[in-house]
């Protein structure tokens, strides 16, 4: 069975988010990535594999070392998805703010607190 992965699966895990953050600064070898986590190298490799399948990381061989490089363009998919909901919630909060302002004004006019 083939597992299809997407960028949302990649960022769902805090360890993968931290890996992305670290390699976004500069490419790191698998060993360098593994050294920064309190999990096994095998677990880090599995996280890297998922990030690679999602298109957020590419691997580059240099001598005997394999380096992880961030490919952050795929995060635009997440940014676009979040933006549509941000617009929705901003509108909802503005409507709530207007409603609360009206309530305050009505209370002042009626002399109540």
């Amino acid at each position: 069975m083939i597992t299809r992965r997407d960028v949302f699966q990649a960022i769902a895990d805090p360890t993968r988010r931290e890996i992305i953050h670290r390699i976004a600064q500069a490419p790191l070898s698998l060993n360098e990535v593994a050294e920064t986590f309190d999990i096994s190298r095998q677990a880090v490799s599995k996280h890297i594999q998922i990030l690679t399948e999602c298109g957020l990381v590419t691997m580059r061989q240099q001598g005997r070392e394999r380096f992880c490089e961030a490919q952050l363009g795929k995060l635009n998919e997440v940014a676009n998805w979040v933006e549509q909901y941000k617009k929705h919630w901003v509108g909802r909060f503005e409507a709530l703010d207007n409603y609360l302002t009206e309530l305050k004004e009505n209370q002042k006019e009626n002399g109540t607190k």
Side-chain angles (χ1 to χ4, degrees):
M1 183 173 126
I2 297 174
T3 303
R4 292 192 57 172
R5 301 199 190 271
D6 65 20
V7 70
F8 294 95
Q9 287 176 304
I11 64 170
D13 184 275
T15 301
R16 289 193 288 271
R17 290 193 304 268
E18 184 61 26
I19 291 170
I20 293 166
H21 175 74
R22 290 173 191 237
I23 66 174
Q25 313 304 311
L28 297 173
S29 71
L30 278 174
N31 289 329
E32 290 171 322
V33 174
E35 288 170 0
T36 61
F37 293 95
D38 193 25
I39 57 176
S40 69
R41 188 175 190 278
Q42 183 179 5
V44 170
S45 291
K46 181 65 177 170
H47 285 299
I48 297 290
Q49 178 185 354
I50 291 168
L51 292 169
T52 301
E53 290 171 6
C54 296
L56 289 171
V57 170
T58 57
M59 299 301 295
R60 175 178 49 86
Q61 188 79 31
Q62 185 175 336
R64 295 189 323 176
E65 291 282 349
R66 293 178 61 205
F67 284 84
C68 306
E69 296 180 347
Q71 303 296 319
L72 303 179
K74 292 282 280 183
L75 290 178
N76 288 331
E77 182 180 339
V78 175
N80 293 337
W81 184 81
V82 168
E83 186 61 31
Q84 72 182 353
Y85 290 99
K86 179 182 173 185
K87 289 176 184 176
H88 168 77
W89 283 108
V90 165
R92 298 289 299 256
F93 285 127
E94 286 174 354
L96 176 61
D97 188 46
N98 292 338
Y99 175 71
L100 294 174
T101 300
E102 282 181 35
L103 282 179
K104 266 185 169 177
E105 289 173 1
N106 289 338
Q107 286 177 344
K108 284 181 185 177
E109 290 173 4
N110 296 330
T112 60
K113 287 188 176 185

